[in-house]
Amino acid sequence: MTAWFTEAVPRGRVAAFRTLIYLFVAADLVVFTPWVRARVDVPGDLYRPLLIGRLLPLPTPDPALVGVVFWVLLVASLLAATGRAPRLLGWTVFALYLEWMIVAMSYGKVDHDRFGLLVALAALPTAGRARHGDPTRTEAGGWALRVTQIAVVCTYFLAAWAKFRFGGLDWATGSVLARAIIRRGTDLADLIAQVPHLLIVAQFGILAFELLSPLVFVAPARWRPAVVGFFYSFHLATIATITISFAPHLVAMTAFLPLEKVRPVLLARRLLNRRAGRSDGTPPATTVSPSAAPAMSPLAGESS
């Protein structure tokens, strides 16, 4: 079991995941949750901190506190995305983003799509240094990705448990999706709603999907990307019908993917080299793979 929790992964995967997570935190501040800064305009007696906010305890948000958290977190997350000072910057981002979320969720509404992201932020500082493209394997990085994967799956499974806890089978047989479509549905959702009993079937399907989500861990390795792809397709359908994005959860779910194979900086360099070669008339440089090197002539590197 310990070996499963700490299954080694390439450091390049950890580096790519780290960059993606911290860039999303920066984007979250300015794109997805800028409304948190407006919380300071709400009367302080409406602030009902979450349990963790009561245990610490944390002060009631005011303009100075929220402003400092916003700007320091924005700068720290952008610096952390570079991979430098992974522990110092990582713990700083985690602590500040946790406070940001406590402020956001202490006024009556708690979103469960942040759980996987928060676990990733707590685990990444323990992964140590990692460089993009580094194939060296790391157990510490593997642990950070694994606990994030577990948090992602728990988000699904515990959502099903909550449905049974508060709604029972009435959640599946009721009008949950119908109400959601009325409130925030799209034209596609309106078309689907016209099909008799389809929404009820969809509600049973959602419950089945959430309850069976842990099977991703026992799926054969070759099928696992397809299972994760199905997870993403579920959220694509959710966005297309009732406009709920689950963006933080979708970013955390990349912990399942071989991110080390996606290297946008290297791709950008190649594109720039090709454009430069076209502009000056010289052919672009080619890269020879190590496996092809033995087949080359010993004189291939000499000038004629």
Side-chain angles (χ1 to χ4, degrees):
M1 191 65 176
T2 302
W4 182 79
F5 271 104
T6 59
E7 183 179 359
V9 299
R11 292 184 185 274
R13 183 178 305 180
V14 178
F17 183 68
R18 172 180 287 152
T19 297
L20 182 61
I21 289 293
Y22 290 136
L23 287 180
F24 177 80
V25 169
D28 189 40
L29 294 175
V30 298
V31 177
F32 298 104
T33 59
W35 46 266
V36 176
R37 301 181 72 183
R39 289 289 192 242
V40 298
D41 298 327
V42 178
D45 55 355
L46 297 179
Y47 177 66
R48 296 291 185 270
L50 303 174
L51 176 61
I52 187 172
R54 299 193 301 271
L55 293 177
L56 289 178
L58 296 172
T60 300
D62 59 29
L65 172 65
V66 175
V68 169
V69 171
F70 175 84
W71 288 110
V72 176
L73 179 55
L74 181 61
V75 173
S77 59
L78 291 174
L79 291 175
T82 67
R84 298 177 181 176
R87 289 181 175 83
L88 175 62
L89 290 174
W91 288 122
T92 300
V93 171
F94 169 68
L96 292 175
Y97 191 76
L98 179 62
E99 168 63 5
W100 187 257
M101 285 294 99
I102 291 173
V103 174
M105 307 301 169
S106 294
Y107 292 86
K109 180 177 181 292
V110 179
D111 297 328
H112 65 286
D113 62 344
R114 308 272 161 175
F115 180 55
L117 179 64
L118 282 167
V119 170
L121 291 174
L124 277 173
T126 70
R129 294 187 177 277
R131 296 180 59 185
H132 289 271
D134 187 355
T136 307
R137 292 186 170 267
T138 167
E139 291 186 351
W143 180 84
L145 292 180
R146 183 68 78 197
V147 294
T148 303
Q149 294 171 0
I150 293 172
V152 167
V153 171
C154 283
T155 301
Y156 292 126
F157 190 83
L158 294 179
W161 179 77
K163 291 178 177 65
F164 281 120
R165 177 186 177 190
F166 296 106
L169 283 178
D170 289 340
W171 190 94
T173 59
S175 56
V176 176
L177 288 181
R179 289 198 301 270
I181 291 173
I182 292 173
R183 288 177 54 208
R184 53 192 305 165
T186 64
D187 292 338
L188 175 61
D190 292 337
L191 291 175
I192 294 174
Q194 296 176 17
V195 180
H197 310 299
L198 183 56
L199 295 184
I200 300 297
V201 172
Q203 287 168 184
F204 274 102
I206 291 171
L207 276 175
F209 161 67
E210 292 173 339
L211 291 172
L212 296 175
S213 59
L215 293 180
V216 67
F217 291 120
V218 298
R222 67 170 182 251
W223 292 107
R224 197 164 300 142
V227 176
V228 176
F230 176 77
F231 288 1
Y232 277 105
S233 69
F234 169 80
H235 290 284
L236 179 61
T238 303
I239 295 171
T241 52
I242 54 177
T243 61
I244 298 178
S245 69
F246 280 84
H249 178 81
L250 299 181
V251 173
M253 195 155 58
T254 60
F256 283 100
L257 304 178
L259 295 177
E260 71 277 10
K261 297 180 180 180
V262 181
R263 301 186 62 187
V265 174
L266 185 60
L267 178 61
R269 286 177 181 172
R270 289 176 178 173
L271 291 175
L272 290 175
N273 287 337
R274 288 178 182 176
R275 290 182 180 179
R278 289 172 184 172
S279 63
D280 61 14
T282 59
T286 57
T287 302
V288 180
S289 63
S291 60
M296 296 177 62
S297 166
L299 301 179
E302 299 182 4
S303 60
S304 55

